Amino acid sequence: MTDPVRTPIVQFGTSRFLQAHADLFLSEARARGQNVGPVTIVQTTASGARSGRLKAFDGTPIPIVVRGIEAGAPVERTAEVTCLVRGLSAVEQWDEVERIVVEEAETLISNTSDAGFALVEGERLGAGVPRSFPLKLLKLLAARHAAGGAPLTLLPCELIPHNGDVLKALLQKLAVENGLSPAFQDWFSSCVFANSLVDRIVSEPIEPAGAVAEPYALWAIEKQPGLVAPCIHPNVLMVDDLARYERLKLFILNLGHTVLAEWWRQEGRSEGELVREIVADPALRARLDAVYDEEVLPIFAAGGVAEAPSYRASVLERFENPYLAHRLAEIFGNHAEKKRRRIGGLLAWKQAIGLDLQTPKLEAILASDIG
């Protein structure tokens, strides 16, 4: 029997980050009476470590502990994610995932890691379940078009600049390479791909689902014709220019995490070391400050981003949050790709604006074989 629950939102990625971010915002909007969701959540890989989570996504409230400093005072409160009503594995339950995307979906959300848009060399559409996320998504979109479904809105949350534009261009290229019809390509062009930026430090899991997160949270989505906000929420901003938000987040907060993770691995520091502990080390803190002062902030100044120093100060306060257990070992995941996007992206921006600035520290990290 077909599940009677209808989910107009389908989310690819089961990470605790999304639970404490987009899923929490949607749940709080629903609690205020907004007609959004509910959500089917899809595990895109065959990872056994996360498969146990799927059973928890049945509408049972999922706890999100918000812990940190807010307006200068310590806070701790527990919120609940209630919008996740169905959890599926794309690898093991493809037919049902396809049915839901074809028959129910209106909006697709994704957060499939920094390497989530990577392709498998030589892979093409066929009868089986594709291994890469982009081909999975293309196969689902093709099935929806074949069934006469309306175009969709896609909200990628991967930490990739212009993530919506990047994903759309990638899928257009794959559609041509895989011989999809001009009719599909016309339909595809009517889908709305949003550029968005997500920002929240989510430090610890709660089992089987849930997370501990800092109070700060932002989901910035770039305005475009035909795009409607996923919900009305104080942490969801529809903005005219996303690039400014992207650069601050990727090249100050995320870059700082990646630089610390590089030094953590390079020095063979404790496997359980936390961000707040490593920035409390005077020598490491001085090195991080030097990277920001000498190689990062001058690029922002040349690029005309006046708020970079104040954002850097807020980032260091978030790194020092005494109430979060944010492990360097977790930040180190996909380290090589993160270096390429965060450090390489900053250096590419430096070159694009024609800044003559020596950046030996960042270049050494980017060139290292760590990760």
Side-chain angles (χ1 to χ4, degrees):
M1 180 180 295
T2 301
D3 189 333
V5 175
R6 291 188 62 84
T7 53
I9 300 176
V10 178
Q11 174 180 302
F12 297 95
T14 65
S15 69
R16 64 177 181 266
F17 174 84
L18 280 181
Q19 293 169 47
H21 191 269
D23 299 330
L24 181 58
F25 304 159
L26 292 167
S27 298
E28 291 175 338
R30 284 168 60 81
R32 297 185 188 113
Q34 294 179 40
N35 184 24
V36 294
V39 179
T40 287
I41 188 167
V42 179
Q43 179 185 338
T44 60
T45 68
S47 171
R50 296 188 174 186
S51 60
R53 250 181 240 172
L54 293 177
K55 295 178 182 178
F57 303 134
D58 61 357
T60 301
I62 293 170
I64 304 297
V65 177
V66 178
R67 183 183 293 158
I69 305 295
E70 196 169 44
V75 297
E76 180 167 334
R77 61 181 180 269
T78 299
E80 291 184 338
V81 169
T82 56
C83 67
L84 301 175
V85 299
R86 186 196 282 125
L88 297 173
S89 164
V91 175
E92 299 177 4
Q93 297 167 288
W94 179 264
D95 289 346
E96 181 65 356
V97 172
E98 184 176 285
R99 183 194 70 77
I100 292 164
V101 171
V102 168
E103 297 179 4
E104 301 180 11
E106 298 170 11
T107 300
L108 307 183
I109 297 173
S110 70
N111 191 353
T112 55
S113 85
D114 290 75
F117 291 177
L119 301 174
V120 176
E121 186 175 357
E123 186 179 31
R124 293 289 183 268
L125 287 179
V129 179
R131 287 183 288 168
S132 72
F133 171 66
L135 267 187
K136 285 185 176 77
L137 185 53
L138 184 64
K139 188 178 178 79
L140 292 169
L141 293 176
R144 183 177 174 92
H145 168 258
L152 294 168
T153 294
L154 294 92
L155 285 161
C157 297
E158 289 81 0
L159 290 174
I160 297 170
H162 309 290
N163 47 20
D165 293 339
V166 170
L167 182 59
K168 184 173 185 178
L170 176 59
L171 294 179
Q172 284 176 320
K173 180 173 180 289
L174 289 172
V176 172
E177 292 176 352
N178 285 273
L180 295 184
S181 69
F184 169 78
Q185 294 180 51
D186 288 343
W187 176 91
F188 175 85
S189 67
S190 297
C191 291
V192 176
F193 285 76
N195 292 316
S196 78
L197 176 90
V198 297
D199 191 356
R200 181 169 230 174
I201 295 174
V202 180
S203 62
E204 302 169 67
I206 297 173
E207 299 299 343
V212 179
E214 66 172 341
Y216 179 91
L218 172 68
W219 191 3
I221 303 170
E222 193 168 59
K223 296 176 184 177
Q224 63 170 287
L227 176 62
V228 177
C231 64
I232 306 302
H233 190 280
N235 298 121
V236 180
L237 300 183
M238 301 298 290
V239 303
D240 293 314
D241 178 19
L242 191 64
R244 179 172 64 89
Y245 293 88
E246 287 179 336
R247 286 169 177 153
L248 287 167
K249 168 70 165 35
L250 289 170
F251 301 153
I252 296 181
L253 188 147
N254 295 125
L255 180 144
H257 273 158
T258 295
V259 167
L260 291 172
E262 174 87 5
W263 295 339
W264 167 81
R265 175 51 60 89
Q266 186 179 59
E267 296 187 0
R269 298 171 71 96
S270 166
E271 187 68 19
E273 188 168 27
L274 307 177
V275 171
R276 68 171 187 250
E277 294 170 338
I278 198 170
V279 296
D281 180 321
L284 266 293
R285 176 58 180 269
R287 289 174 67 188
L288 180 62
D289 285 336
V291 168
Y292 280 138
D293 291 335
E294 299 168 15
E295 302 190 11
V296 175
L297 292 184
I299 300 174
F300 277 90
V305 185
E307 64 268 46
S310 61
Y311 184 77
R312 176 266 195 101
S314 74
V315 161
L316 289 172
E317 288 180 351
R318 292 164 69 187
F319 286 178
E320 294 166 348
N321 186 339
Y323 303 99
L324 291 186
H326 200 190
R327 297 173 63 241
L328 273 299
E330 295 181 351
I331 293 171
F332 189 75
N334 291 317
H335 185 63
E337 181 67 15
K338 289 175 179 176
K339 288 198 293 185
R340 188 180 73 81
R341 294 196 182 279
R342 299 168 183 185
I343 298 175
L346 177 65
L347 298 182
W349 185 35
K350 179 190 77 168
Q351 184 176 14
I353 61 180
L355 178 61
D356 183 14
L357 174 73
Q358 297 300 307
T359 50
K361 300 177 184 68
L362 290 175
E363 290 172 24
I365 293 171
L366 185 61
S368 84
D369 59 4
I370 294 175

